[in-house]
Amino acid sequence: MNNSLKGYALGALAAASYGTNPLFALPLLSAGIDAYSVLFLRYLFAIPMLAVMMMVRGRGFGLRRNQIVPLIVMGLLMAMSSLTLYVSYAYIGAAIASTLLFIYPILVTLIMAIGFHERTSWLTILCIILATTGIGLLYRGDGGEALSAMGLLLVFLSALSYAIYLVAVNGKIMREIPTLKLTFYVIVFGLFLFAFNFDLSCIRTLNSNWILWPSAFGMALFPTAFSLICTSAAIQKIGSTPVAILGAVEPVTAVAIAVLLFNETLTPRLAIGMALVIFAVTLIISGGKLTQPLLRVRKLFPRIRKNRG
């Protein structure tokens, strides 16, 4: 397999692994463990995995004083994005929530246009119209019943928090921090939000049903560490733009898991709405300048240059 094919395979694998969030989160949430505790476990188990990755790559753990407060803010943004997404599963289901979360590139575009006066192209306007149409189809099922407004609000807040994070992570101070170190500290500081609300009784729940422990470790491994490694390797082989486009595999994977394994309903109307959202976001990525803020992982595993003798 040549490098290009490997890159596309790794990019698809990265997106698919991130799309496994429902696979690991839903069994824990269904067992009665609250979202705070589920995410506490995810972040807690991810920290040593990321620490090992940093040591393998020879990354130091030191921070400058002016980097600490911005990293705390970044950690809270990421934690809020995770929390609102997981809570939304109880209101609108993982399939629709995972698809709506995928609108974050459009929100990044709007933030850059409104807050930083970046020019908005006709392509961007078309994509926003397509995505809005798709969301309108998702809002009502085939029977005409409206989805939970609270669920829609929560997943929108999740996408918005992540969009703000992506804009902020490309600020001057954050750009000076290698991405792996930045991710490590974002997870560390984000953990504190969940620590204050962690329910120790969830340990008894986990111990009473041993199959839940693999779910807890799986959340940290596949949607976090493994996805990060595959994304970085894919970018080195094929570049940021194709990998960003392959991100469409993420909601597709989440939808497939939710429908096939957790018996969530996928009607023709919902399927069309999801397809419109995914198509609009893929189009805006492929035709715009979003790949840099969406995939700032190029320095995560830098190319190792061979010495020429």
Side-chain angles (χ1 to χ4, degrees):
M1 185 183 293
N2 60 38
N3 273 348
S4 292
L5 287 176
K6 287 180 182 178
Y8 283 105
L10 286 167
L13 192 58
S17 60
Y18 193 80
T20 60
N21 260 308
L23 177 64
F24 301 110
L26 290 178
L28 297 169
L29 295 169
S30 298
I33 302 176
D34 64 273
Y36 280 98
S37 299
V38 169
L39 285 163
F40 177 83
L41 295 173
R42 177 184 176 183
Y43 278 43
L44 181 67
F45 295 151
I47 288 172
M49 296 179 187
L50 292 171
V52 169
M53 291 166 64
M54 287 180 66
M55 290 185 286
V56 168
R57 298 306 305 175
R59 301 292 189 194
F61 289 85
L63 291 173
R64 294 203 304 269
R65 186 174 300 176
N66 70 331
Q67 295 172 336
I68 296 175
V69 173
L71 280 172
I72 292 174
V73 174
M74 300 299 287
L76 291 176
L77 280 171
M78 181 62 76
M80 283 302 300
S81 179
S82 300
L83 179 63
T84 47
L85 176 65
Y86 276 31
V87 174
S88 74
Y89 288 166
Y91 292 91
I92 59 175
I96 295 176
S98 298
T99 303
L100 291 177
L101 178 66
F102 195 56
I103 67 170
Y104 65 83
I106 291 178
L107 296 180
V108 170
T109 301
L110 291 174
I111 290 171
M112 297 304 294
I114 297 171
F116 299 91
H117 307 292
E118 284 200 356
R119 184 178 177 182
T120 302
S121 68
W122 285 106
L123 175 64
T124 299
I125 295 172
L126 173 62
C127 291
I128 292 172
I129 293 172
L130 287 174
T132 303
T133 303
I135 292 170
L137 290 173
L138 292 176
Y139 181 64
R140 290 191 178 276
D142 285 353
E145 70 284 358
L147 293 175
S148 166
M150 177 58 71
L152 293 174
L153 175 62
L154 285 167
V155 76
F156 174 78
L157 291 175
S158 178
L160 180 61
S161 299
Y162 191 53
I164 296 172
Y165 171 88
L166 289 171
V167 173
V169 83
N170 285 276
K172 182 179 179 181
I173 294 176
M174 293 295 97
R175 282 203 307 267
E176 296 173 352
I177 306 174
T179 301
L180 182 53
K181 181 192 288 190
L182 185 146
T183 304
F184 173 79
Y185 280 108
V186 164
I187 297 296
V188 167
F189 290 128
L191 180 69
F192 286 100
L193 176 66
F194 308 125
F196 290 116
N197 295 279
F198 180 64
D199 185 358
L200 282 172
S201 66
C202 78
I203 302 299
R204 290 197 299 271
T205 303
L206 291 168
N207 288 335
S208 65
N209 188 356
W210 67 268
I211 198 66
L212 295 177
W213 279 110
S215 292
F217 283 107
M219 278 192 307
L221 177 60
F222 291 102
T224 311
F226 182 71
S227 178
L228 202 60
I229 294 172
C230 290
T231 299
S232 175
I235 289 174
Q236 291 190 6
K237 293 182 183 298
I238 60 175
S240 295
T241 301
V243 175
I245 294 171
L246 285 169
V249 175
E250 173 193 325
V252 172
T253 302
V255 169
I257 289 172
V259 172
L260 297 177
L261 298 183
F262 297 99
N263 300 317
E264 291 193 9
T265 302
L266 182 62
T267 65
R269 183 189 183 98
L270 295 180
I272 294 171
M274 291 175 180
L276 277 175
V277 171
I278 294 170
F279 174 72
V281 175
T282 302
L283 188 62
I284 202 172
I285 292 172
S286 62
K289 300 178 181 179
L290 285 175
T291 52
Q292 188 65 27
L294 292 181
L295 287 167
R296 202 208 123 191
V297 293
R298 186 65 181 85
K299 294 185 290 183
L300 187 59
F301 291 98
R303 244 184 255 277
I304 299 175
R305 301 182 183 276
K306 294 182 179 180
N307 295 325
R308 295 181 179 178

